[in-house]
Amino acid sequence: MTSLRVRIGMLGLVLLAGPVAPTTAVAAEAAPSVTVEEQRLDRAVPREILERSGFDAVTRHFTRALGAARSYTEARKVVVREGAGLWRRAVDRAQGRGPADGDLSRDDDRPLYWARLGMTRDVRTWEPSFGLTDAQRTSLLGELERTSRGQDAVRYPAGRRLKRVLLTGFDPFTLDRDIRISNPSGATALALDGTVIETAKGPARVETVVFPVRWQDFTEQTVERALRPYLSKVDLFTTVSQGRVGRFDVERTNGAWRGGFPDNENIGVTGTVPVGDPASQPQWTTTTLPYQAIVDADTGRFPVYDNTSVTEIPAGGTEAVVRPDGPTEGSTARAGGGGNYLSNEIAYRATLLRDRLGLHDVLPGGHVHTPVLEFGAGNTDPATGAVTDPGFVQNRVDIIAQVRAIVAVALGAQETPGGRKTDADPTD
């Protein structure tokens, strides 16, 4: 890769050559800058996580491979290959395949997150000798995001012997509060991708993808692009994110409102969730997961709740009020059961897509909030605490196992392969 040192050296040679003919003044080209997320890479905790997982080697290899590209076409091949390789390596590590490479537990989702940021930072700041337009750089970054999140790696076997499940997770977030944070939904995605779950109605193949915690990506409809090709082919889908302390929630209702909490770029956005065809956009969408069956089942150590609460502005009103039993007719959304952050938004977008594809009555789908992934006793200070501990690992392992059990229950509650359910009416 072209380095800053080389560019400065070339400038020195020009100056030593003496005066040159006057030329028309041109504005200096701004050097590419890293994002807020990528800036966190230079802190001690991300470096430790990468070193203790062996994923620091991933970014070094990517830097060399990208630097060897001699054209945009070659660079694109590198990005696609290495992005997909990062996703496969993270999934393999989580599922016990290949060497562990370091002493972090295999269930840890954080190496994938920080290694991806190292790769996006390389692409964002790369200045190859052949030149790279803004559009080309943006395209490379998009390819890297999709491939390293498993979004183009969803594969289901042919035939109907296996049921098909699509599950989504998220990156870690609130990193300025505690940069050690892991996201159990992302860890679950890595642990379950490509696995087969035994259910009361037979085996089910699970495919997973992971999404960023960034408002702009959602505005650009990354969720719809990733899910649309598969929703008509699956028997069940669930979006998953980290929610409340000590409990799971099956969110009954999702709202069309962004509440403004800062994302991983420290950007907050408030307003109606932006979707295609806003004229037909509903204020609320509902789960079609068999929530009563899930709540009644013994799926693990954490209690599971059917969460029906929302925050709305009633029809004709001006002030937001909490409704424990769901929205009232004609109300305006201010928070779904899962709040008004990106967990609510992914649930809203996925279920709205389900409905617009005409699948509401045949496809079980909705959102599950996991418990907050907590560190063990005595390791609660972000400034001095360790990046992992036995309690932290056990909590994550237990959450992953319980999500797997919840998916099995949800599939077992289906009456037919078409997805009709007997356990609950999701429009109650």
Side-chain angles (χ1 to χ4, degrees), residues 133-316:
T133 68
D134 289 344
Q136 288 173 330
R137 193 185 306 275
T138 298
S139 179
L140 292 178
L141 288 167
E143 291 285 2
L144 182 52
E145 287 283 341
R146 286 187 292 275
T147 55
S148 66
R149 295 179 179 282
Q151 293 177 5
D152 63 349
V154 175
R155 302 285 187 273
Y156 293 105
R160 298 195 59 80
R161 188 181 72 84
L162 288 177
K163 290 184 180 291
R164 299 167 177 83
V165 177
L166 184 60
L167 180 146
T168 74
F170 271 111
D171 290 345
F173 64 106
T174 62
L175 294 152
D176 290 334
R177 182 183 302 168
D178 187 345
I179 199 167
R180 305 174 300 160
I181 277 174
S182 162
N183 193 323
S185 70
T188 298
L190 293 176
L192 298 190
D193 186 57
T195 64
V196 174
I197 297 177
E198 294 298 329
T199 80
K201 298 297 175 64
R205 168 70 171 257
V206 182
E207 292 287 323
T208 70
V209 299
V210 172
F211 287 98
V213 182
R214 296 189 297 254
W215 293 110
Q216 185 60 36
D217 292 70
F218 277 55
T219 297
E220 295 170 357
Q221 301 200 13
T222 183
V223 173
E224 289 84 350
R225 282 197 306 274
L227 302 189
R228 183 178 287 108
Y230 309 110
L231 284 196
S232 63
K233 303 174 183 178
V234 301
D235 297 285
L236 180 143
F237 74 88
T238 182
T239 53
V240 183
S241 66
Q242 179 176 250
R244 300 165 178 84
V245 174
R247 60 183 278 179
F248 276 86
D249 288 283
V250 182
E251 305 299 351
R252 185 87 72 94
T253 307
N254 318 297
W257 186 254
R258 293 174 155 185
F261 189 81
D263 64 8
N264 277 351
E265 295 287 354
N266 290 339
I267 295 171
V269 180
T270 303
T272 301
V273 172
V275 298
D277 191 15
S280 67
Q281 178 179 7
Q283 286 294 304
W284 309 99
T285 64
T286 59
T287 189
T288 48
L289 291 173
Y291 49 83
Q292 196 59 54
I294 295 170
V295 169
D296 290 344
D298 180 11
T299 54
R301 68 181 252 219
F302 297 101
V304 183
Y305 294 89
D306 166 25
N307 184 26
T308 60
S309 178
V310 301
T311 303
E312 67 173 19
I313 298 176

Side-chain angles (χ1 to χ4, degrees), residues 354-370:
R354 172 204 62 196
D355 297 348
R356 287 181 165 179
L357 291 172
L359 300 171
H360 182 279
D361 295 331
V362 297
L363 178 59
H367 191 77
V368 173
H369 259 125
T370 76

Side-chain angles (χ1 to χ4, degrees), residues 61-82:
H61 173 75
F62 179 73
T63 300
R64 291 192 297 269
L66 187 63
R70 292 297 175 261
S71 69
Y72 170 72
T73 300
E74 288 185 16
R76 187 178 183 279
K77 290 179 180 178
V78 169
V79 165
V80 170
R81 181 185 70 241
E82 299 301 323

